[in-house]
Amino acid sequence: RKQMEGGHLPTVSSNPFANVKLRKAGGGASDGSGGGSAVSHLAAALAQERAQNARLRAVDMEAWYDRLIPYTFATVFVPLSIPEARAIVDLYWDWKKRGSSGSDFDFETAPLPSDALWTTLLSNIDSAIKRVSSADDKDRTDSDNDTGVFAKLSSRSPKDSKFCERRALLSIQHHLAAMLDAGEQVSANTVVATVMREGIAALRCQTADQVLRCFLTSDRVCEDDIPLALSFPESQWTQHMVIRRWVTIGTAYEFRGFVYGGRLTALSQYFGNARFAELVDNKQEVQSLIERTCFSTTDDARNIVAQIAIEPAEYVIDFGIDVARQRCYVIELNPFGKPDGMGTGTCLFKRTSPHDLAILFGDAPFEFRIETEEATTADLQKLMRVGSPLATWLIEKG
């Protein structure tokens, strides 16, 4: 695959997938009523921070992977040391400065450092790629052509990587141009679906060098995730580079499931900006497959909630579905809870809607939502970043 949160479009909006922000929990300030009150506020803030961090760590892949191996992709965790993390951030800022200086700097061809730290890091990633590539998978055949890996950190993925966005843009242009040259009608819905598909495909890495360039050109990784992790005491450092076997799943067949109170309260199409005819036709089959293989009420071995035993049983699970093989993959988990989801995207459910929140938190009947209307030109224009290379190219093509 591709582990993607939020259901937005790469290369279309300015920072399309960065809807889940990890941060230290905010604490209450002293109300000026005296030392006792200040101490109480500080104690409450610390307790809140510990509770929120515990919720975040509970859904990190390291916390649940071993218990869900039958449900998910072959994965190798490469320990990331503090010096390696700092070196990545330092090189990120160096590349960013050089790229904005007006020089001919190119992050695709810029050489990586050759000292022992970087050599070791590349070697460790290369070994992980070989291990996941050789892992047994009864549901995968040579004809799938699913070589390569998806790489992320413990809690965030580099899906905003400039390295990947550039590859996505070229692929999007190639596919849309081929349709136009063949005389096909290219609708706004087709454009949106193509952007989604190729944006995901661009995240596939074949080499350790490509993995590092993904991280080194990601604001999410180098301005958010790693600095946050480095801000905590070294004794709490548990970061990994997570190398996952690539399994191609159709864009129409990724979903976000909402678990609250230990049960599945809602399902949503993950990439909710386009209509997929095959999903409309197969909606009931998809729901049945997810419920039967992952939320059985009679067999704990087919019940994810029972397998991972996270308390409280409140989180979202992203799924990838292979209808032909009747296979349901767990892609990842994210924190979820009241009052509005703990910052996790809710896809086709609105966090500002009391009715939708009632569904998500189990106070209204279960719903499975998919797009039933095709994206329009107006929808596409709303998603476009004005002046972006893709927007400019589409305008030129009429």
Side-chain angles (χ1 to χ4, degrees):
R1 194 239 190 187
K2 20 177 237 179
Q3 282 67 19
M4 312 281 292
E5 305 104 337
H8 301 270
L9 300 181
T11 75
V12 173
S13 59
S14 58
N15 192 6
F17 291 114
N19 63 313
V20 181
K21 302 294 288 182
L22 302 182
R23 60 190 182 277
K24 289 187 177 181
S30 170
D31 61 5
S33 58
S37 178
V39 170
S40 297
H41 278 297
L42 178 59
L46 290 172
Q48 180 185 5
E49 180 176 323
R50 285 193 296 270
Q52 186 169 13
N53 286 335
R55 295 286 293 273
L56 292 172
R57 298 290 75 79
V59 294
D60 277 354
M61 198 170 298
E62 294 93 329
W64 58 261
Y65 175 75
D66 286 344
R67 285 172 281 178
L68 295 185
I69 287 176
Y71 291 93
T72 193
F73 315 103
T75 301
V76 172
F77 298 92
V78 179
L80 183 69
S81 70
I82 290 176
E84 288 169 341
R86 287 174 175 156
I88 287 172
V89 173
D90 288 345
L91 188 56
Y92 161 84
W93 284 110
D94 177 63
W95 281 13
K96 192 166 189 175
K97 180 179 179 181
R98 292 165 65 188
S100 62
S101 66
S103 67
D104 58 356
F105 174 79
D106 187 348
F107 52 72
E108 285 195 74
T109 58
L112 296 174
S114 58
D115 59 40
L117 181 148
W118 288 92
T119 301
T120 300
L121 188 54
L122 282 164
S123 177
N124 290 342
I125 296 170
D126 182 64
S127 296
I129 292 174
K130 291 176 179 176
R131 286 177 59 191
V132 297
S133 298
S134 63
D136 291 333
D137 187 341
K138 63 182 177 65
D139 291 323
R140 182 171 162 188
T141 66
D142 292 339
S143 62
D144 288 336
N145 196 31
D146 278 345
T147 61
V149 299
F150 173 81
K152 66 188 294 289
L153 293 185
S154 294
S155 53
R156 303 217 82 178
S157 59
K159 56 197 176 184
D160 64 333
S161 160
K162 305 299 185 297
F163 174 74
C164 296
E165 283 190 354
R166 183 181 292 179
R167 296 197 299 180
L169 175 61
L170 293 174
S171 186
I172 293 164
Q173 291 172 333
H174 169 76
H175 285 280
L176 293 179
M179 294 180 200
L180 293 171
D181 292 344
E184 298 180 26
Q185 290 291 323
V186 179
S187 67
N189 196 78
T190 299
V191 173
V192 172
T194 302
V195 169
M196 290 176 179
R197 184 186 68 244
E198 300 309 315
I200 293 169
L203 294 169
R204 183 193 310 217
C205 294
Q206 302 287 354
T207 67
D209 181 275
Q210 290 178 353
V211 168
L212 281 177
R213 290 181 195 276
C214 284
F215 290 130
L216 287 165
T217 57
S218 169
D219 297 346
R220 287 165 53 87
V221 166
C222 294
E223 293 191 32
D224 187 357
D225 192 40
I226 293 179
L228 174 68
L230 288 170
S231 71
F232 289 96
E234 291 189 9
S235 60
Q236 298 181 23
W237 182 263
T238 58
Q239 287 292 303
H240 292 86
M241 285 188 171
V242 183
I243 309 300
R244 314 203 74 191
R245 171 179 259 176
W246 186 277
V247 176
T248 298
I249 294 171
T251 314
Y253 290 105
E254 295 195 37
F255 306 94
R256 175 154 285 185
F258 300 85
V259 174
Y260 193 81
R263 64 186 179 90
L264 184 67
T265 60
L267 274 174
S268 174
Q269 177 179 330
Y270 190 84
F271 296 105
N273 303 103
R275 179 185 186 272
F276 298 98
E278 67 268 36
L279 176 55
V280 175
D281 294 340
N282 293 322
K283 179 184 177 184
Q284 187 55 52
E285 183 177 2
V286 167
Q287 179 178 334
S288 176
L289 178 59
I290 292 175
E291 291 176 338
R292 184 175 70 253
T293 60
C294 298
F295 293 95
S296 170
T297 58
T298 59
D299 182 1
D300 280 355
R302 290 179 173 268
N303 187 305
I304 288 176
V305 175
Q307 292 295 313
I308 57 180
I310 293 175
E311 292 295 340
E314 302 169 5
Y315 38 84
V316 300
I317 308 177
D318 294 337
F319 296 101
I321 302 299
D322 186 331
V323 175
R325 290 175 174 153
Q326 291 291 287
R327 178 72 186 266
C328 180
Y329 292 97
V330 172
I331 296 169
E332 67 179 17
L333 277 66
N334 281 291
F336 182 68
K338 291 185 176 181
D340 60 0
M342 295 182 67
T344 297
T346 51
C347 298
L348 296 180
F349 294 88
K350 296 180 180 179
R351 283 178 287 190
T352 56
S353 164
H355 173 67
D356 284 7
L357 290 176
I359 294 169
L360 296 178
F361 295 126
D363 296 322
F366 170 92
E367 283 192 27
F368 178 15
R369 292 186 181 177
I370 65 172
E371 289 283 8
T372 57
E373 300 293 332
E374 291 201 348
T376 65
T377 301
D379 294 328
L380 183 57
Q381 289 173 340
K382 291 177 183 178
L383 293 167
M384 283 291 178
R385 184 177 71 229
V386 177
S388 70
L390 180 58
T392 302
W393 183 85
L394 288 172
I395 292 171
E396 290 174 353
K397 292 292 183 179

